Amino acid sequence: MDEPRRNLVRWLLGGGLSASLISFLYPAFKFMNPPDVPEASVNEVSAGKVQDLKPNTGKIVKFGSLPVLLVRTTETEWRAFSAVCTHLNCTVQYKESSHQMWCACHNGLYNLNGQVVSGPPPHPLEAYSVHIRGDEVVISRRA
Amino acid sequence: MRYAALGLLFAVPLAAADSCIECHSVLEGDLQAPVKAFANDIHARFGFSCTDCHGGNRNETDPEAAMSKARGFVGKIPRTAVPERCARCLSDTGFMEKYKPRQRVDQLAQYRTSMHGKRLAAGDTKVATCIDCHSVHDIREVKDPLSPVHPLRLPETCARCHADQAHMAGYKLPTDQFASYRKSVHWEALAKRGDLSAPSCASCHGNHGAQPPDVESVAAVCGNCHVMMEDLYKNSPHQPVFAAMGAAGCVVCHGNHEIRLPNAGMLAGPNAVCSQCHEATSAGGIAAAEMAHELNRLEKALARSDQILAKAQQSGMEVSEALLRQREGREDLVKAAVAVHAFQTTAVQKPVNEGLAIAAGTYQAGVAALKERSYRRLGLSVSLIAIAITMLGLRLAIRSIEGRSTGNSLRTWK
Amino acid sequence: MAAVTEPPQQAGWFEERLGLASLRAFLAHKTVPVHAQTLWYYFGGITLFLFVIQVLTGTLLLLYYRPSPAEAYESVQFIMTRVQFGWLIRSIHSWSANLMILTAFVHMFSVVFLRAFRRPRELTWLSGVVLLGLALAFGFSGYLLPWNTISYFATKVGTDMAAAVPLVGRNLARFLRGGSDVGGATLTRFFGFHVAVLPGITTILLLTHLALVQKHGMSSPPRVLEEHRRTGGAIPQMPFFPNFFLRELMAWYGALGVLGAMAAIFPWELGVKADPFAPAPAGIRPEWYFLAPFYTLKLIPSHVWIFEGELIGLLGFALLALWWVALPFWAVNSQGVERTRWVTGAGVALVGYLATFSALGYWR
């Protein structure tokens, strides 16, 4: 076999092997590099500081891609519910005057256990757990 | 009182020894039908019997004695007497407390204020009495899906008379309400989605006090559910004008029975309801066109995002987060449609702009996904080229080895 | 000390410690018969290669995957959307799994039709069939891990079948599910099976299988042997290294190209997160390699005489599997004559059954 041909084979084989190895290893190394968003899932979110929410008020917290209504009923008691109305998916709000959760779209009312008091909603609101860590309020999904 | 409770306990075995039921169950046709139907009746469940409405004595085995006029027996209760007959028990608070303590007892009072009640009092026996809606001998609770006044069945029950042209001939009333209602969003929510809270006839007209809502009360009736719209409408420039015109608020634009899903076409275009009063060049006409434009703008932007995201999804890209964001954008579109009831362009613009921001974001996500797709394909082709070169190299290497070693380890094999 | 030991030499150092020369010598002597059916010898190697890919991509996926019902779906979604090349790694893992089972089947049937299970290779056959079973178990357990609706219900149906086994069925289903129903405990369990139990057993069995192949060398089909005996020549051989190995390498690269293309053009779907309280969606169907038994069980009436239909089906499959595993033993009669027609007939019948019932299960 002549020399230039052997060289060609060597080049093709060497070049091809190294190029293909790079094309396999590059994605693998990139994969191992942790992404900027470190958490895979939303099982809990921080809802800010304790002092940011006065007793008998509520606020909407983004939980993943869905809204959650956090309510501070008294100085020490906190509750959280899915803020998606079970009627037509509008966002519910806290009504300070009557201590209820209220959907403005069709006047659905829920009590502070998430159960339907009046109006069109067919199901209760899903409840979430609330924990206080230091002075941080943390909402988590109920297992 | 105590004996009454005891009576209730023994009511079922006693009913078996009921002479009315014993005789009528072996009779035929119309004389037997009430007995059969009564088995499912709520009254039977509480131990009541024929004699509680018809009078007579159920312990007598002799028909003459059992159905003695002297003991108050009435075979066919006259239609005009039906409401009072039912109300004897159902309007008695003390009596009802024993059976249904939470049930209202004002049905008769309400009925007397209704069109049905007023006409009946005037001697018109074609109007509905209790039994026309609740049925006669198989009266069920409203929450029983087989009851003719269960929300899902109520429209048909009203339509039995109100959609019957022959029956309604004498009353200057249309007969197309049921047909119209069946084209409405409310019927769709009720019958197709099974949402029992969606309005049927009684939700707006009342049940026992049934009559058409007054012009002034229409907004209040609709506002029972459509709170936001009512609030906005009450403070809008339309409210005093419609009131002065004697026009019934919501109905002016949305109609009454045939309420369809609203769209931007109601504001501007050939089918616009606004153009019935507002010239296109007037301030109102311009505002309507602007609001329609805003709604269309958001609708189009969301549709554009939907399209690119669908394309990305079809080629296997993961865009579920953007699709979730799209839902929020759609919610903004709903909010914008609600905001129309303020009849101010600026009120509509706020949710529209929020929605547009979302739509722009989701569109970008779609673009990024498609870019990622081309990037993947580029990466694939690079690695495929590398693979192809390696395979070619291997092929040549094999040939060079085997060309060299012919006759050595490979004898008859080339 | 230093005076006694020889100075380390570049080539000798490793040689002294690893004894590579014997391996080299072994490789130099190992040959592969060359004949019209040589092509089928590559499929075992391709299956092995795909298994290695499974180990590598599986290990990478472990960096991000979380085996709990609250997080499993989300972590796979995270891999698919957030992690760089996560879509590639996961899609290759899924595609390679399917391709591996396919090549394993091809490998098995080529062994049947070329009669490579003959004496003394009975144990090679046996280990191979068990390895195929393990591959199916890998597929079944791995299918649940993304915790989406389809995999959830497929697992429910699959573990339900175990409950039909007489006497121990109930306990077996409980063991598989880690409870009375498919749930978080099942996921944890299946994850354990998938990444620890099955790989451990598979590695031991795979090494045995490969060692046996090396010990006995490549089998030549009887027909080829017969032909050469008639003409008087020996069957030509090709050196395993480098001739056969380089060809195998080409096949591996080809497989890699196919995998990459499948992953890039048809990334594996994620589906919808499993909701244990949702009603079962219409048209639940297992992975394609379980379709034939799945469809067969569907066809069997619920009661056959006094027995439960599912039990009859399972019993049938168990007998079929036993009969198939025992293939090398009934393939020769007591006089030592091969039952060539029986084996070919059984092979054709099994291929036909698997093909038609899988197709029926898929289209119906």
Side-chain angles (χ1 to χ4, degrees):
Chain A
M1 186 161 161
D2 50 322
E3 194 56 32
R5 207 186 136 144
R6 191 171 305 169
N7 272 336
L8 174 73
V9 172
R10 204 170 288 158
W11 265 105
L12 278 176
L13 209 52
L17 275 174
S18 34
S20 57
L21 276 181
I22 289 168
S23 78
F24 307 148
L25 291 180
Y26 175 74
F29 278 109
K30 279 279 183 187
F31 180 87
M32 287 187 253
N33 184 30
D36 302 332
V37 195
E39 275 304 305
S41 60
V42 271
N43 274 312
E44 52 174 54
V45 292
S46 166
K49 301 265 182 275
V50 167
Q51 58 267 25
D52 291 349
L53 200 63
K54 288 191 210 73
N56 194 30
T57 51
K59 75 167 174 181
I60 296 290
V61 179
K62 245 177 120 54
F63 195 99
S65 50
L66 296 167
V68 162
L69 177 58
L70 173 70
V71 180
R72 185 176 189 183
T73 51
T74 63
E75 195 64 44
T76 54
E77 213 194 331
W78 300 75
R79 287 175 196 208
F81 295 91
S82 156
V84 182
C85 180
T86 56
H87 178 222
L88 289 176
N89 301 336
C90 292
T91 303
V92 299
Q93 50 187 287
Y94 183 62
K95 234 183 165 179
E96 285 102 6
S97 56
S98 62
H99 306 268
Q100 281 172 320
M101 290 177 284
W102 179 61
C103 176
C105 287
H106 293 90
N107 207 14
L109 273 177
Y110 301 87
N111 66 19
L112 285 175
N113 289 314
Q115 283 144 349
V116 183
V117 175
S118 69
H123 308 293
L125 293 173
E126 190 195 344
Y128 287 70
S129 302
V130 186
H131 302 280
I132 309 293
R133 275 186 211 146
D135 64 344
E136 194 191 8
V137 186
V138 179
I139 303 176
S140 59
R141 217 184 274 278
R142 286 201 178 161
Chain B
M1 254 328 121
R2 201 178 300 148
Y3 296 113
L6 266 178
L8 191 62
L9 271 176
F10 292 110
V12 179
L14 272 182
D18 189 320
S19 69
C20 318
I21 289 175
E22 257 166 37
C23 292
H24 278 267
S25 57
V26 295
L27 291 172
E28 278 176 0
D30 283 354
L31 291 171
Q32 187 205 39
V35 175
K36 276 190 141 178
F38 193 61
N40 296 315
D41 197 295
I42 176 80
H43 298 99
R45 214 163 13 107
F46 280 111
F48 294 99
S49 175
C50 316
T51 51
D52 292 305
C53 296
H54 291 280
N57 186 351
R58 63 178 171 191
N59 297 322
E60 289 285 353
T61 46
D62 173 28
E64 285 292 327
M67 298 189 279
S68 131
K69 291 248 161 56
R71 298 204 58 159
F73 176 77
V74 186
K76 198 171 168 67
I77 298 162
R79 288 182 65 80
T80 45
V82 167
E84 276 77 14
R85 176 86 29 160
C86 297
R88 265 195 341 209
C89 299
L90 292 162
S91 292
D92 181 338
T93 318
F95 184 83
M96 288 308 288
E97 233 156 42
K98 284 181 279 185
Y99 301 99
K100 288 261 164 191
R102 294 184 60 186
Q103 188 166 303
R104 298 174 62 152
V105 289
D106 61 346
Q107 294 92 338
L108 179 65
Q110 282 208 10
Y111 179 73
R112 284 185 176 140
T113 68
S114 76
M115 274 301 167
H116 295 143
K118 284 180 190 162
R119 287 196 167 270
L120 188 76
D124 181 356
T125 55
K126 274 171 80 185
V127 296
T129 65
C130 314
I131 58 171
D132 296 296
C133 300
H134 291 276
S135 88
V136 197
H137 294 111
D138 62 340
I139 298 170
R140 293 159 192 264
E141 286 183 280
V142 179
K143 66 183 179 203
D144 184 334
L146 292 177
S147 161
V149 288
H150 182 267
L152 283 177
R153 294 189 56 190
L154 183 67
E156 281 158 66
T157 301
C158 297
R160 272 212 319 265
C161 297
H162 281 271
D164 181 348
Q165 281 185 359
H167 189 94
M168 298 303 290
Y171 307 99
K172 285 167 269 166
L173 279 180
T175 51
D176 62 345
Q177 301 96 324
F178 182 55
S180 305
Y181 173 72
R182 296 237 288 188
K183 294 179 198 154
S184 73
V185 279
H186 292 143
W187 166 261
E188 203 166 292
L190 184 70
K192 298 199 180 138
R193 283 213 308 271
D195 180 351
L196 297 187
S197 65
S200 61
C201 316
S203 316
C204 300
H205 294 281
N207 42 22
H208 301 110
Q211 56 181 341
D214 291 338
V215 164
E216 308 87 69
S217 61
V218 163
V221 166
C222 302
N224 236 334
C225 294
H226 300 274
V227 184
M228 302 283 259
M229 286 78 153
E230 189 200 3
D231 277 355
L232 291 170
Y233 168 74
K234 269 195 201 150
N235 298 314
S236 79
H238 275 144
Q239 198 275 333
V241 180
F242 285 175
M245 281 162 60
C250 318
V251 176
V252 175
C253 301
H254 292 280
N256 46 13
H257 297 112
E258 190 182 336
I259 295 170
R260 307 278 192 118
L261 200 65
N263 56 38
M266 286 174 69
L267 292 164
N271 301 318
V273 289
C274 304
S275 63
Q276 289 167 6
C277 302
H278 297 279
E279 292 275 339
T281 49
S282 69
I286 291 167
E290 278 173 358
M291 288 189 284
H293 173 69
E294 291 293 323
L295 291 177
N296 283 330
R297 215 151 63 101
L298 180 53
E299 171 88 60
K300 268 197 202 118
L302 288 170
R304 193 175 73 133
S305 296
D306 272 343
Q307 209 180 354
I308 194 167
L309 290 173
K311 195 175 157 197
Q313 202 176 27
Q314 269 166 18
S315 42
M317 308 306 295
E318 172 61 45
V319 284
S320 58
E321 278 179 45
L323 287 173
L324 266 171
R325 287 280 290 160
Q326 277 291 93
R327 266 181 48 170
E328 288 173 47
R330 296 256 162 229
E331 203 176 303
D332 279 322
L333 187 61
V334 172
K335 283 183 192 158
V338 171
V340 166
H341 297 88
F343 306 106
Q344 308 278 348
T345 314
T346 44
V348 178
Q349 268 163 346
K350 193 174 159 280
V352 165
N353 288 335
E354 285 170 12
L356 284 174
I358 291 175
T362 52
Y363 186 76
Q364 279 312 312
V367 170
L370 288 185
K371 211 187 248 171
E372 166 77 14
R373 187 181 70 159
S374 343
Y375 173 66
R376 284 183 190 186
R377 304 230 157 133
L378 181 72
L380 171 69
S381 33
V382 169
S383 72
L384 281 183
I385 289 170
I387 286 172
I389 291 175
T390 314
M391 286 173 79
L392 183 66
L394 285 168
R395 180 90 206 90
L396 291 176
I398 292 166
R399 200 185 283 170
S400 75
I401 292 164
E402 285 168 4
R404 231 179 352 178
S405 56
T406 309
N408 182 359
S409 56
L410 305 159
R411 269 163 300 153
T412 51
W413 178 59
K414 77 165 181 53
Chain C
M1 288 286 273
V4 187
T5 43
E6 285 174 44
Q9 285 168 8
Q10 204 57 4
W13 197 86
F14 283 108
E15 182 53 52
E16 185 190 342
R17 277 147 189 88
L18 297 173
L20 292 170
S22 60
L23 182 67
R24 218 174 297 139
F26 175 75
L27 280 176
H29 286 113
K30 183 176 164 60
T31 57
V32 177
V34 179
H35 47 78
Q37 313 294 337
T38 300
L39 171 74
W40 302 106
Y41 291 141
Y42 294 98
F43 278 90
I46 297 176
T47 311
L48 174 68
F49 174 68
L50 290 172
F51 179 72
V52 172
I53 296 223
Q54 287 305 88
V55 173
L56 295 177
T57 51
T59 311
L60 283 175
L61 289 173
L62 276 178
L63 296 182
Y64 297 104
Y65 178 74
R66 296 177 178 186
S68 82
E71 294 179 305
Y73 179 84
E74 282 80 0
S75 67
V76 177
Q77 190 176 41
F78 183 73
I79 291 171
M80 292 293 281
T81 54
R82 299 276 184 209
V83 182
Q84 295 188 71
F85 291 104
W87 59 272
L88 180 70
I89 305 292
R90 178 184 174 237
S91 298
I92 286 189
H93 193 72
S94 303
W95 275 112
S96 172
N98 284 278
L99 218 58
M100 180 177 92
I101 287 181
L102 186 70
T103 56
F105 268 110
V106 173
H107 179 51
M108 180 180 76
F109 281 110
S110 74
V111 163
V112 172
F113 291 123
L114 298 180
R115 264 172 268 294
F117 52 81
R118 293 175 346 271
R119 195 171 70 98
R121 296 188 177 81
E122 291 95 337
L123 290 180
T124 321
W125 165 264
L126 214 67
S127 58
V129 175
V130 177
L131 276 170
L132 179 67
L134 286 169
L136 294 177
F138 263 120
F140 186 66
S141 56
Y143 196 50
L144 178 69
L145 300 186
W147 200 245
N148 57 34
T149 309
I150 301 169
S151 71
Y152 175 84
F153 283 103
T155 307
K156 231 176 150 111
V157 174
T159 48
D160 251 349
M161 283 177 191
V165 175
L167 299 174
V168 293
R170 204 167 271 271
N171 286 325
L172 184 64
R174 262 188 79 81
F175 167 75
L176 284 175
R177 291 172 170 179
S180 56
D181 208 347
V182 177
T186 321
L187 183 60
T188 317
R189 227 153 241 250
F190 273 38
F191 177 69
F193 293 151
H194 192 80
V195 306
V197 180
L198 292 173
I201 302 173
T202 305
T203 307
I204 294 169
L205 221 65
L206 189 59
L207 291 177
T208 315
H209 191 72
L210 290 175
L212 285 170
V213 171
Q214 299 319 312
K215 179 174 166 53
H216 297 301
M218 301 296 219
S219 149
S220 297
R223 190 181 296 165
V224 177
L225 281 173
E226 186 59 38
E227 233 165 70
H228 282 84
R229 199 168 299 144
R230 230 182 298 122
T231 53
I235 300 175
Q237 303 281 326
M238 129 166 62
F240 177 80
F241 196 88
N243 303 48
F244 186 83
F245 178 75
L246 287 177
R247 281 183 169 77
E248 185 76 67
L249 208 59
M250 272 179 79
W252 293 359
Y253 260 78
L256 260 182
V258 170
L259 279 181
M262 293 309 247
I265 300 169
F266 308 107
W268 206 262
E269 276 184 24
L270 183 55
V272 179
K273 184 173 177 169
D275 177 1
F277 303 111
I284 301 174
R285 115 156 58 94
E287 291 262 71
W288 61 270
Y289 38 85
F290 290 124
L291 275 176
F294 173 74
Y295 187 69
T296 312
L297 284 179
K298 248 169 115 173
L299 282 190
I300 299 173
S302 67
H303 278 89
V304 181
W305 192 40
I306 54 163
F307 301 108
E308 234 176 276
E310 206 168 49
L311 178 64
I312 300 271
L314 286 180
L315 206 69
F317 288 130
L319 288 176
L320 187 72
L322 213 65
W323 170 76
W324 192 244
V325 167
L327 173 74
F329 304 102
W330 57 258
V332 277
N333 66 12
S334 49
Q335 275 81 48
V337 181
E338 284 190 49
R339 292 167 165 153
T340 314
R341 285 200 184 153
W342 286 37
V343 173
T344 311
V348 169
L350 193 61
V351 171
Y353 161 73
L354 289 178
T356 41
F357 275 66
S358 299
L360 285 173
Y362 186 83
W363 296 116
R364 293 244 172 128

